[in-house]
Amino acid sequence: MPAFTENAAPALLDRFKAVRGATASLCRPLSPEDMMVQSSPEASPVKWHLAHTSWFFETFVLSEFLAGYTPFHPDFRWLFNSYYNALGDMPEKKLRSSFSRPPLDLILAYRAHIDASIEQLLQHPIEDEAARRIALGIEHEQQHQELIATDVKHALFTNPLHPAYIERTELLSGTTIAPPLEWVDFAPGLTEIGITPDPSSTDLFAFDNETPRHPVYIAPYRLASRLVTCAEYLAFLDQNAYNRPELWLSEGWTTIRSEGWQAPLYWQRDSETRSGWSIYTLHGLIPLEDLSETPVCHVSFFEADAYARWAGHRLPTEFEWEHAAARFGTQGNGSSRSESSKTPASPPANLLERGNLHPTAASHLAGLQQVFGDVWEWTASPYTGYPGYASLPGALGEYNGKFMSSQIVLRGGSCVTPSSHIRATYRNFFAPAARWQFSGLRLAHDAGR
Amino acid sequence: MPAFTENAAPALLDRFKAVRGATASLCRPLSPEDMMVQSSPEASPVKWHLAHTSWFFETFVLSEFLAGYTPFHPDFRWLFNSYYNALGDMPEKKLRSSFSRPPLDLILAYRAHIDASIEQLLQHPIEDEAARRIALGIEHEQQHQELIATDVKHALFTNPLHPAYIERTELLSGTTIAPPLEWVDFAPGLTEIGITPDPSSTDLFAFDNETPRHPVYIAPYRLASRLVTCAEYLAFLDQNAYNRPELWLSEGWTTIRSEGWQAPLYWQRDSETRSGWSIYTLHGLIPLEDLSETPVCHVSFFEADAYARWAGHRLPTEFEWEHAAARFGTQGNGSSRSESSKTPASPPANLLERGNLHPTAASHLAGLQQVFGDVWEWTASPYTGYPGYASLPGALGEYNGKFMSSQIVLRGGSCVTPSSHIRATYRNFFAPAARWQFSGLRLAHDAGR
Amino acid sequence: MPAFTENAAPALLDRFKAVRGATASLCRPLSPEDMMVQSSPEASPVKWHLAHTSWFFETFVLSEFLAGYTPFHPDFRWLFNSYYNALGDMPEKKLRSSFSRPPLDLILAYRAHIDASIEQLLQHPIEDEAARRIALGIEHEQQHQELIATDVKHALFTNPLHPAYIERTELLSGTTIAPPLEWVDFAPGLTEIGITPDPSSTDLFAFDNETPRHPVYIAPYRLASRLVTCAEYLAFLDQNAYNRPELWLSEGWTTIRSEGWQAPLYWQRDSETRSGWSIYTLHGLIPLEDLSETPVCHVSFFEADAYARWAGHRLPTEFEWEHAAARFGTQGNGSSRSESSKTPASPPANLLERGNLHPTAASHLAGLQQVFGDVWEWTASPYTGYPGYASLPGALGEYNGKFMSSQIVLRGGSCVTPSSHIRATYRNFFAPAARWQFSGLRLAHDAGR
Amino acid sequence: MPAFTENAAPALLDRFKAVRGATASLCRPLSPEDMMVQSSPEASPVKWHLAHTSWFFETFVLSEFLAGYTPFHPDFRWLFNSYYNALGDMPEKKLRSSFSRPPLDLILAYRAHIDASIEQLLQHPIEDEAARRIALGIEHEQQHQELIATDVKHALFTNPLHPAYIERTELLSGTTIAPPLEWVDFAPGLTEIGITPDPSSTDLFAFDNETPRHPVYIAPYRLASRLVTCAEYLAFLDQNAYNRPELWLSEGWTTIRSEGWQAPLYWQRDSETRSGWSIYTLHGLIPLEDLSETPVCHVSFFEADAYARWAGHRLPTEFEWEHAAARFGTQGNGSSRSESSKTPASPPANLLERGNLHPTAASHLAGLQQVFGDVWEWTASPYTGYPGYASLPGALGEYNGKFMSSQIVLRGGSCVTPSSHIRATYRNFFAPAARWQFSGLRLAHDAGR
């Protein structure tokens, strides 16, 4: 069992500290009472996220790799388990809103204990597996940062007073006009999809569901240069789209009927605005007319699919998306991970660090814009394993593989995704009716052969 | 419009202060996070109870009778409305667990504002109607004190850690042996049921559903001298009662099947106790064997009815109960409101002020014991209006009358009922499947004519 | 064990044959396919009714009292059991629509076999208990005749073609004008309610829930001289009653919201009629204007209660109703069973034998009209056991008693009740939301003391 | 608009008559009452199938292409519409069990009327589009033949008497032993999937979801030589598989918990058989030991997936399956449609015409066995459109495309699929929890590269 490169431990510790600190920053505007709210079965209280991400390090790293480690609290092992059936019973998810005890103070002490223990572990060279587990724990915590943002948004929206999480920023200003939609063409052929990680490095992290890298044949296609905007989506609404069955998948039609949906989540009729609509954001309610050039978000797969059909186009497959992103994508840090970038310098992607916490209008540069950040892009691809896919051994094997049915892949990250977390091969996935995430769409089209 | 007796205002203020203070005392062991929990659709968070009881005084007393009164917060009028449809929209009850805002501090400031305003109002003689409303608000707050106790119990029980509300007291000790069950006979004839309040006094408060006093013919009957105990109920369980349809009302059988009930609420299988059961109380989990002589509680009407059938008896009607209570009942303050008490001095009733927060074993005195306090006693009587019943005018008319279908009357108060709140004519009511209240039973039987 | 009077057996046989023949007559307009339909969980297919009523005689009479009796088919004992848990498992009610086998022919053969066996049994004097069981079986079959009419109505209505059961009769004609509503006063006092059957006779049959006869004190009251009409109910609708929560019991409001009710069952918006409504009847769809003077029917208890509240009155208690019916009621056969009838000759009640199969307008005679027949009258009384009530021993004990929760008493029979089946003491009962029966209402009011 | 080849019309008519006759043959063992049963929301009554398949010809062929055609009945156009929203309202599917009217006789007259009209139309050369519609209608009717078999099986099983559809045949005999499972290897590379129909011919019919033919890259893989048997599946059960969450997809685990599944549909505990199980078939209940060598069927995708995981393998993708079937498959008529068959002569596939109506044991020949017939094989592929997929114009566009979410592709046909209906490119699809179809599985595995 080869020991992890000595020099890598400090870098891993830096990354660990940065990510743990980012979680704490996200919670700053929240009271202990705010951190108790669970406003839907899909969501969890912030307090639970704080504990569960710590539990992950305790269970999969410290208990196995830190000699003499004592668990912080005997009940926490089962209390903050989420879905790892292999680790035994866990509380029902719907009971998470009852977690008034342990109190927040104790949860924060738990976090501090974990932080100190990881720091202790990383004082010395560690085994490769330990390093991989810490890297996984860091990515796991980043996923929960995104969930904190989306769950808090839903929790505050559910409150009858609709309070804001933070004050409105300038970047959401409606003065920016989105560029006209253009099409970018891609030639047919075999392409390589996914990633096969270098076992000797934790540098290029990937989840098991992104592996292995493998050939896929792609027919010629075109992608829209930017995301669909609120103004464009409003035109869809105004053509009575939510009452025309021929625009919808059968399951989508059933869903919008039974749920009573007539617009994206967070859109509300508001007779006091010019457009007749307000949109709830993490900055409070904003008139739709002030957001009309920004990408539509909080739509389900069914709505994205129906919009595309109405527009005479379709959603891209996840392979088309990844193929394009590998060529055009620019991430938040200004550097692209793509193999061969052919685009002029794009503005930094609208990811969590930008602090907008809401999608913003596309830039007027040429080529694909908004590839990373802003909103998760629904693809046409159901979520399945790649050829040769193998889940991790043990309890960690439940991380991804067990969800490979009746879910749809989303790509590209959103305005609440940490920039170091996203990449062209990243596969997010949700049920087709889910819309509490920052999810939107980009159009695609078949091209002549 | 006659002014309320000058001398009465100070007494009313004293009573107001005492009851408001008692609410605060109940909350002392709870954190702000505890006060956020809503663990079932029937329950509400403590924070909501604190606000709603204040809202009641603001809406029905201060806004109408205190000249120049300014509401504490413009949103609170609809935010803390509960079921008064006549007052306009209100938030859905299930959303109460999302009430992280307004924060607890603001709720407490709201309470202080209401307290000061009522005190101001009562500096001077007031109108009769204002006095009646304050008296109603006081009783309303006492009802919510009981709900705080029951809702907190459920909330803490739902928490996977099962924490206690307060430490276990001595009074629950299993060393006391309940006396043998004896029968007390009552002769047939016309009796008077209910109360017709003296409009010139707020002294003898009654809810509209207790009025008017009216004749009822009662056939000869017998009542058990004490409540059914846990030990007795365990015998019922041990005879496979929850799997024998012939013991149950049809609706009861359907309920226990669909809910999967095999024992009263808060009873849990526990292989580490002698009896094989533990019971969750406000003092935490206690082995059943330590509570076997105390009255069974947290049973539904269906379970009370099935137990009585199994035992070869029946539940008393609410008229039989009231007829007996008026003769035998002794309340917590040691004085009986009965017309003609024939019993030797009973021990003080086990009501909220006793601090047991759990039913205790009956005394060995002669006559009816445990008439008031310990547990609400399920009767055989569906909840309907008395002949000539009229609900209060306006929004307050929704207080009682609108619930007169598919509910069953319970009598006598429980160990979490304030002693000044209960009386022989008091009619509580719940759906027959409800069991999160401290509800138990006393047996009855037809007597020869 | 005394033998049943020799002379009584032939009379019982005559009655048996008449009732069995009436069932066959009811089925004449139906095809085997019609007799298969189960259009709601409350309803049963006609074929099942035909078998189950025969099963009742086989199980409770022939198997016990006819020496050497062989059951017609070994599976029928459990196959056509309905709710007698004491007799072992039975098929789920919702599966009754799957009963394509046994075929109708076999069911008819079953009926013939039972008929012949009962005839054989009644060739000779029989035991009292056997006679009582046969009498019970006859009443049971009459109850199912009424269910056949109501279930067929629902089944044909559910069919998208809305076919009629039989052609429209003249008696429904809208030319008859209902008399103005008048009030009939009743004095307060003790009255006798229910019946204590003479054990030496089967002549005066009563269900266990009508027993024993017992004193009840009644306050002074008034009853409306006739039932509420469709025209009157339409005025209630036209005042937006289904959207005004203050008119409804809390449970009623919840029910009409969740069910989407905006009118009685079988009322349909119809732009081609003058009134804008059509009503489905056993004679097909009829414009409301042609039925406006006939009693409203197919309303739930909640709707009856809300109508009465809106009208400034209330529903009668079952005791008030029975007290009045015993004095005024006239049944279909033209003779009253009341103790002392003080009314002029009323027209024959609109019961099953009249063949109208729909309620008809009241007569213009003085006194209470429409006491029996037309529609079952919702009372204000929840269904409970009378003082001293005891259910029958064994499986027959499940007949009535187990339903004594969350149901409301209805009185008086309807246009599909056999005339020999109804009497002043008869207690029907349904859940307060039920409305597939012919159920309507009569107003009541407190009178001065 | 080119006219359909004159010579082709007679052949089309022959095919039409043959298929219509086959539907009638399927109904022969059924009574009119049997044809009324709808035993689950997924199923339809046989009577409805008979009418709906005729409605298809009336709506899409006769109304458009037969000059002067008069619809048989004015209500049938909407009455027997199924899911074609574009054609206006239709009755709710759950109401189909209420269709006692129109009576079976009228439905049969409807069929005769359609038959005669199509015959009339085909007396003369017809337009290409008319021919394509008739061909589609024929395939549509064959799909409903399969549904009749599956729906009748469920209907008779639901009947508490569990009657057989027809007598047990010899072919199900347990004396045949299935061959040991072997693996067949396939090399990696680009392959062509799907079909691009020749617009000048109706000979090679294909549904829109099979088009267009397009390249797909396939990694090296192996397929099991035969289907998984009941004996093998029983071993899975016997290892407690239904209680081990690690074997299941998350959605699958939730499904088997909420549905209470412990075995395939139609498996019943039976203490009177050697194996402890009986299996309901169209020939009645049969001891599992008599079927142990036959393929397991009536499993959901979740069960197929879990079995494969437990066995250390996986399900094939639909592309792997089609690639193999095009090389190895032999259909019921003895001739293969594959491009280049390399197998020795296989026995005729176990399809509908064989009359087994149940899967049978595999043959001992080399190569892939049971490719067509026996059971539909669950693949690992969610159901989506092929690149360039376009649905048919108008209402027929709803045939396939609208179901492309949350469904899984099945391949190969079953023992109740007509032989002329199945082909290597055929894509069936069901929700992953569906199991009332004859659905089973074949194992697959990655091969070294």
Side-chain angles (χ1 to χ4, degrees), chain D residues 151-196:
Chain D
D151 291 357
V152 160
K153 182 169 184 177
H154 194 268
L156 295 177
F157 171 70
T158 305
N159 189 300
L161 300 171
H162 299 324
Y165 166 74
I166 53 167
E167 291 297 297
R168 184 178 178 181
T169 66
E170 276 315 296
L171 282 161
L172 292 174
S173 162
T175 58
T176 310
I177 301 299
L181 189 153
E182 297 185 346
W183 294 99
V184 181
D185 277 273
F186 294 87
L190 272 177
T191 189
E192 294 281 314
I193 293 294
I195 187 168
T196 301

Side-chain angles (χ1 to χ4, degrees), chain A residues 170-245:
Chain A
E170 277 315 295
L171 283 161
L172 292 173
S173 163
T175 58
T176 310
I177 301 298
L181 188 152
E182 297 184 347
W183 294 98
V184 181
D185 277 272
F186 295 87
L190 272 177
T191 188
E192 294 281 314
I193 293 295
I195 187 167
T196 301
D198 177 357
S200 67
S201 161
T202 63
D203 198 35
L204 205 61
F205 176 86
F207 284 108
D208 58 8
N209 64 8
E210 302 169 54
T211 67
R213 193 158 177 85
H214 66 288
V216 169
Y217 181 85
I218 299 185
Y221 69 105
R222 335 178 104 184
L223 285 187
S225 57
R226 59 161 174 75
L227 301 168
V228 171
T229 65
C230 287
E232 289 165 341
Y233 200 85
L234 187 60
F236 171 64
L237 241 75
D238 287 346
Q239 290 203 8
N240 201 28
Y242 281 72
N243 297 302
R244 291 164 57 189

